[in-house]
Amino acid sequence: MENTLYTGALWHPYTQHKTALPPIKITRGEGAQLWDENGKEYIDAIASWWVNPFGHSNPYIANAIYKQLTTLEHVLFGGFTHDPALKLAERLMQILPNNQKKFFFSDNGSTAVEVALKASLQYFYNKGEKRTRVIAFEDAFHGDTFAAMAASGISFFTEAFKGSLIEVARIPVPVPGKEQESLEALQSLVATEDFAAFIFEPLVQGAAGMVMYSPEALTDLINVCKEHGVFTIADEVMTGFGKTGKNFACDYLTAQPDIMCLSKALTGGTIPMAITSFTDHIFNGFYSDDVNKALFHGHTFTANPTGCAAAHAALDLLLQETTMQSIARITESHTAFMHKMLKHPRVKTARVLGVIVALEIKRDATESYYGDFRNKLYRFFIDKGVILRPVGNIVYVLTPYIITEPQLNRIYEVIEQALEEVF
Ligand SMILES: *Cc1c(COP(=O)(O)O)cnc(C)c1O
């Protein structure tokens, strides 16, 4: 078929413009619903790439943004500070693991990871200690900028840049049955080389297809790193702010990471912003009379007050008692759905955590990430008015917390229908 993709002058992300379907022009959003230019309604079953817990065009967050925009919309953060940032750091300190004490702002998940990796490497440089490599999981995803890409293990995202990436050592993900293999791989790495850091997506690898592993397995890995002076970086860009059923995935652990990366739901899915949080110990590695020991990293919109105001409003909503109740209700529905689906002859495995449920569909061959089967599923869901973006043969749901029971049931129904009709 001839290319019918009309994108105007736009170049879309992760898109082969020659073969992709035309993008859908969305004109309005409310709650978990979106409407296109023809008035067709969609359920946003993946919270618009995992960013939107409290619904589209949320009036509470919108008002907070408006108020900030008409008070102080932005001011440079070099040499200046402001209450929206100061108070946001204080509030985050109340809910993050209690060793997280210093907050560095940037614009998105990838930059949050860049900051974490650069700070880890420079910490040891400042000390004159040779630790120049990092460890990451197989099939990790940490973003699309260079260091984040280097840490990522999904090869088709990074293949073209192989020669230009910092070298990263990889260990297997400790999915059930592989805990020992993962632990031993880490132990043998740290026994032979002094690494600067170990970066991981705690408990759920989002982009890999919502691959899940246990808090006990991760705690063991973190403890090995602590014994060897390797910084641990929890990339909570996807998992943060309630998605796993607790404020942060790290809340399930009995060990604390040294660094955390936050973005996506930080502003309730409204304004791009990210934070990398650090222990005092790491901050002190930069604190010196020598100007060269400073972290020479920054972004023009660092700690944008409007973004901070959005984050404050999103935190207000997250910390309401009813929010955790909603998340628990969604987990319960997902769990019932998972048990039903596990009996389906086409379902190979299924898993649930927080607002996430993932089904692995049985296939004869390995399905590629953006392959034909995945595209057929995607089109089926879009046609039915449910926004789901399968990964290879994995169909996952990551709902906003405000989703209603009828909307949830509609999502499940459409997935079940896909199992009958899409091959
Ligand atoms: C999405 C994501 C990133 C990258 O965030 P961007 O805002 O897209 O740059 C990094 N890490 C994880 C775990 C993510 O899910």
Side-chain angles (χ1 to χ4, degrees):
M1 202 178 77
E2 251 318 289
N3 169 31
T4 52
L5 181 59
Y6 180 75
T7 57
L10 305 179
W11 192 340
H12 283 252
Y14 308 115
T15 301
Q16 174 47 269
H17 278 239
K18 187 161 185 192
T19 55
L21 287 177
I24 297 158
K25 192 188 275 179
I26 296 295
T27 52
R28 195 164 71 82
E30 190 184 325
Q33 280 155 294
L34 292 164
W35 287 271
D36 73 12
E37 58 185 331
N38 304 314
K40 181 174 170 181
E41 199 174 295
Y42 299 85
I43 302 174
D44 188 354
I46 55 167
S48 280
W49 265 343
W50 325 334
V51 299
N52 189 309
F54 308 113
H56 289 285
S57 315
N58 182 290
Y60 183 76
I61 302 176
N63 282 329
I65 290 172
Y66 179 78
K67 229 173 115 189
Q68 188 60 48
L69 276 176
T70 47
T71 309
L72 173 67
E73 85 302 346
H74 180 67
V75 63
L76 71 164
F77 212 54
F80 295 86
T81 190
H82 48 76
D83 272 339
L86 285 164
K87 290 186 174 158
L88 182 58
E90 273 166 33
R91 286 184 80 186
L92 286 171
M93 238 186 299
Q94 306 284 318
I95 58 169
L96 284 167
N98 65 11
N99 65 343
Q100 298 299 299
K101 299 288 190 201
K102 290 284 185 255
F103 297 79
F104 194 100
F105 284 85
S106 64
D107 309 324
N108 59 69
S110 304
T111 56
V113 168
E114 294 288 326
V115 171
L117 292 172
K118 282 179 70 176
S120 301
L121 294 170
Q122 194 185 332
Y123 175 92
F124 294 110
Y125 176 84
N126 282 358
K127 284 188 77 173
E129 211 176 303
K130 192 175 176 295
R131 289 181 184 254
T132 55
R133 292 213 303 158
V134 302
I135 303 169
F137 279 137
E138 287 164 2
D139 290 335
F141 181 76
H142 297 291
D144 291 336
T145 55
F146 268 78
M149 211 173 25
S152 299
I154 303 175
S155 60
F156 77 90
F157 282 107
T158 58
E159 192 62 25
F161 312 100
K162 250 163 100 184
S164 318
L165 299 175
I166 61 166
E167 207 199 316
V168 170
R170 285 194 197 283
I171 61 170
V173 187
V175 291
K178 278 205 175 179
E179 293 92 341
Q180 198 56 27
E181 191 186 324
S182 177
L183 184 64
E184 282 167 13
L186 180 66
Q187 280 164 334
S188 80
L189 280 178
V190 296
T192 51
E193 184 181 331
D194 290 333
F195 286 89
F198 166 43
I199 184 166
F200 50 86
E201 295 156 89
L203 307 194
V204 190
Q205 290 189 303
M210 301 297 158
V211 171
M212 298 181 189
Y213 61 97
S214 79
E216 293 76 20
L218 182 54
T219 297
D220 287 347
L221 297 176
I222 291 175
N223 285 335
V224 169
C225 289
K226 290 205 185 288
E227 284 162 27
H228 289 83
V230 178
F231 291 140
T232 49
I233 305 171
D235 177 355
E236 292 241 18
V237 168
M238 189 282 280
T239 50
F241 303 101
K243 305 228 187 71
T244 63
K246 290 186 189 274
N247 287 338
F248 299 98
C250 285
D251 296 344
Y252 286 93
L253 308 177
T254 51
Q256 296 181 329
D258 299 293
I259 304 175
M260 292 175 75
C261 303
L262 308 171
S263 188
K264 290 203 166 116
L266 170 63
T267 62
T270 56
I271 291 185
M273 198 170 80
I275 292 177
T276 312
S277 66
F278 295 94
T279 58
D280 274 333
H281 174 78
I282 295 176
F283 179 78
N284 289 338
F286 294 78
Y287 191 76
S288 163
D289 290 321
D290 181 356
V291 66
N292 294 313
K293 294 210 162 149
L295 180 60
F296 280 105
H297 186 103
H299 297 280
T300 311
F301 280 99
T302 293
N304 170 251
T306 309
C308 292
H312 276 288
L315 272 182
D316 291 344
L317 297 175
L318 178 71
L319 299 175
Q320 281 176 342
E321 214 173 298
T322 50
T323 299
M324 276 301 159
Q325 288 165 2
S326 301
I327 294 170
R329 167 183 62 83
I330 293 166
T331 309
E332 210 174 296
S333 300
H334 279 355
T335 306
F337 175 64
M338 173 186 75
H339 285 304
K340 183 173 176 203
M341 286 298 95
L342 280 169
K343 296 192 192 102
H344 195 286
R346 288 193 74 197
V347 174
K348 193 170 155 201
T349 57
R351 43 192 179 260
V352 170
L353 187 68
V355 298
I356 306 164
V357 58
L359 308 179
E360 210 168 319
I361 301 174
K362 272 186 204 151
R363 300 295 288 170
D364 293 334
T366 311
E367 291 296 336
S368 65
Y369 203 93
Y370 282 131
D372 285 344
F373 179 60
R374 176 268 176 209
N375 288 342
K376 275 192 229 163
L377 285 168
Y378 174 73
R379 283 168 203 171
F380 180 87
F381 295 135
I382 289 295
D383 185 51
K384 302 282 177 204
V386 175
I387 301 177
L388 288 168
R389 287 175 64 93
V391 171
N393 61 327
I394 297 165
V395 175
Y396 74 85
V397 177
L398 188 160
T399 57
Y401 312 160
I402 46 78
I403 198 150
T404 63
E405 271 316 292
Q407 286 167 339
L408 266 182
N409 289 332
R410 174 69 187 149
I411 297 168
Y412 301 150
E413 182 184 272
V414 167
I415 294 173
E416 285 184 65
Q417 229 177 320
L419 289 178
E420 303 310 319
E421 295 178 31
V422 184
F423 288 89

